[in-house]
Amino acid sequence: MLAATARVAGDLDLAEECVQDAYLAALDAWTRQGVPSSPGAWLTTTARRRALDVCRRRRTLRDKLPLLVEPEPALEGVDAGDGPDCAAVPDDRLRLIFTCCHPALAGEAQIALTLRLVCGLTTRQIAHAFLVSEATMAARVTRAKKKIAAARIPYRAPDADELPDRLGRVLSVIHLAYTTAHTDPTGAELMHRDLAARAIDLARMLLALMPDEREVRGLLALLLLTDARAAARIDAQGRLVLLEDQDRDRWNRGFIEEGTGLVARALRGGRPGRYALQAAIAALHDEAVSYQDTDWPQIVELYDVLMRVWPSPVVALNRAAARSMVYGPQAALAEIAELEQHAARAKADSLAGYRYLAAAKADLLRRLGRTEEAVLTYRQALELTEGTAEREFLLRRLRELGAG
């Protein structure tokens, strides 16, 4: 709705207002007349008409002339869905992502604003994705919207030759949307299946739009190979199931086959990017017949390369977990200690308050038989965890260690 309305309004704030007005109108009209057969189309049409009305009034006030003496090209083009910017990016949602990733905005502000507007993530969810506080993220989104208004940045999709310059941010948006959907840090459910499917759809559309971009292939491969395991992540009681305990017969073999094919093409032709490397790691997990048969040494090698391509504390944490499978938990625990020291020194771009840092450390301590330390660290992880499924898993671990 927002994407379709923004194309008519030419203004993101106006589009948001019109979408809200459409919901209010629906509450009134649907109570009296019943829900229409196509509620989504009803809402979108109402929001777009509201945007057209506002634009007409603004034009009338500006020109001091009756609207009837002027042509209305915007109205004629609305239902047809074809405008001067549609050829380059034919999908409204993808067009809005490219539009929000405007070079006049700071990189993180581009991604945060797009996740908020296009993907519907809450400020808290976005803050979790960026490892910052909710207040910090709210300020970033507010500054981005003010920058759009102050700089008079129009709602205009980039031309075809401008797309590559914005591609990196667009890839980040789709990846973070899927990451949030894959493990919701705040919700009662472990996954948001609708948001995960939306992210995969956007990645597919992006590949159709830019078929020669290797990192687009890598991103779609990563999402497919990760999503292939979705059905096995929850048991019949709704409890979280770790990768090592999952029933691999429940994995989506179609996604795995498609994803591994995309990985092979994404890795060819030069230095691989971060998404191609992450997809290659996911492929090794998916291709193993059992957890014990996973090629952990190769996974560690891929993480080493990924750390050079995309040095990130989250990648370093995942690398430590993989190294524990090759060199033992004690070696990985030393790397965890280094990450903890870095988190204590740094405020931004660190793992301070990151629930998976404490959870990973607790697991290593458990494997080493250091039960008292493991219990203490599991409790630290529990304090940092809001999601229901993950909290239940941590409580289960504590009960297994006799501390329930």
Side-chain angles (χ1 to χ4, degrees):
M1 285 177 60
L2 180 65
T5 306
R7 179 151 59 89
V8 175
D11 180 288
L12 291 175
D13 282 334
L14 174 58
E16 284 190 290
E17 291 176 8
C18 293
V19 167
Q20 294 301 319
D21 287 346
Y23 278 114
L24 289 173
L27 286 173
D28 175 52
W30 296 1
T31 301
R32 291 182 290 101
Q33 305 168 6
V35 179
S37 58
S38 299
W42 192 101
L43 288 164
T44 301
T45 300
T46 301
R48 284 152 64 115
R49 286 176 177 170
R50 168 66 175 161
L52 283 171
D53 288 342
V54 173
C55 290
R56 287 168 179 163
R57 286 199 297 271
R58 288 178 177 178
R59 189 186 312 155
T60 301
L61 291 172
R62 184 183 66 242
D63 298 339
K64 306 295 184 181
L65 290 173
L67 180 64
L68 293 177
V69 303
E70 295 187 0
E72 300 178 10
L75 181 60
E76 296 172 359
V78 168
D79 293 335
D82 52 358
D85 61 349
C86 289
V89 188
D91 180 80
D92 274 326
R93 293 166 300 172
L94 198 56
R95 186 183 307 114
L96 184 55
I97 293 177
F98 271 104
T99 301
C100 289
C101 292
H102 195 284
L105 302 175
E108 289 188 347
Q110 294 175 23
I111 299 172
L113 182 63
T114 311
L115 289 170
R116 185 74 185 90
L117 293 178
V118 185
C119 301
L121 300 190
T122 65
T123 304
R124 176 182 292 186
Q125 289 173 323
I126 302 170
H128 276 283
F130 278 91
L131 306 181
V132 298
S133 69
E134 186 174 353
T136 298
M137 184 51 63
R140 288 181 185 176
V141 173
T142 300
R143 283 197 301 269
K145 296 180 78 171
K146 287 182 178 179
K147 178 66 178 290
I148 289 175
R152 298 182 180 276
I153 297 174
Y155 174 78
R156 183 190 68 80
D159 297 328
D161 59 350
E162 298 177 288
L163 298 183
D165 291 337
R166 304 191 188 186
L167 178 60
R169 302 298 183 192
V170 174
L171 291 170
S172 293
V173 165
I174 298 174
H175 180 241
L176 284 174
Y178 181 84
T179 300
T180 302
H182 185 256
T183 305
D184 184 3
T186 61
E189 301 292 333
L190 180 66
M191 289 192 68
H192 279 188
R193 294 301 305 152
D194 56 342
L195 180 57
R198 192 183 318 160
I200 292 174
D201 285 344
L202 287 169
R204 288 192 186 280
M205 285 186 286
L206 188 59
L207 182 60
L209 180 67
M210 308 179 76
D212 297 327
E213 292 289 344
R214 294 165 56 219
E215 272 294 75
V216 178
R217 285 198 201 100
L219 175 64
L220 178 57
L222 173 60
L223 301 194
L224 290 172
L225 291 166
T226 304
D227 206 66
R229 304 189 292 265
R233 295 180 66 222
I234 294 292
D235 65 14
Q237 289 74 42
R239 297 176 302 186
L240 173 65
V241 181
L242 295 184
L243 181 62
E244 59 193 273
D245 300 318
Q246 289 179 13
D247 179 1
R248 300 188 175 220
D249 289 337
R250 299 182 64 195
W251 289 2
N252 187 327
R253 294 297 161 184
F255 273 16
I256 293 174
E257 182 178 351
E258 183 182 0
T260 51
L262 288 166
V263 170
R265 295 195 294 276
L267 292 174
R268 288 198 296 263
R271 181 183 181 187
R274 55 175 277 200
Y275 298 111
L277 290 167
Q278 290 179 85
I281 293 170
L284 288 174
H285 283 297
D286 287 5
E287 291 174 334
V289 295
S290 68
Y291 189 75
Q292 291 73 23
D293 291 327
T294 305
D295 191 346
W296 291 108
Q298 188 174 353
I299 287 177
V300 171
E301 290 181 11
L302 286 170
Y303 270 122
D304 289 341
V305 178
L306 182 59
M307 278 296 294
R308 294 194 292 270
V309 172
W310 183 44
S312 157
V314 174
V315 173
L317 178 59
N318 290 333
R319 176 178 174 271
R323 283 176 60 83
S324 75
M325 302 302 297
V326 179
Y327 303 107
Q330 187 61 53
L333 200 59
E335 296 187 28
I336 294 288
E338 292 182 10
L339 290 172
E340 286 180 318
Q341 292 174 5
H342 178 266
R345 294 192 303 266
K347 294 297 183 182
D349 192 31
S350 77
L351 298 180
Y354 189 52
R355 65 193 187 280
Y356 292 140
L357 178 61
K361 179 180 179 180
D363 183 65
L364 295 172
L365 291 168
R366 179 185 64 85
R367 289 164 58 188
L368 288 169
R370 295 160 61 174
T371 302
E372 291 185 4
E373 294 173 89
V375 167
L376 178 62
T377 313
Y378 272 125
R379 284 176 174 160
Q380 291 173 350
L382 190 61
E383 291 176 359
L384 298 169
T385 303
E386 299 179 43
T388 303
E390 290 185 325
R391 286 184 59 83
E392 196 282 332
F393 171 79
L394 294 172
L395 289 170
R396 200 186 333 156
R397 278 284 195 246
L398 285 169
R399 289 194 294 270
E400 290 171 357
L401 295 175

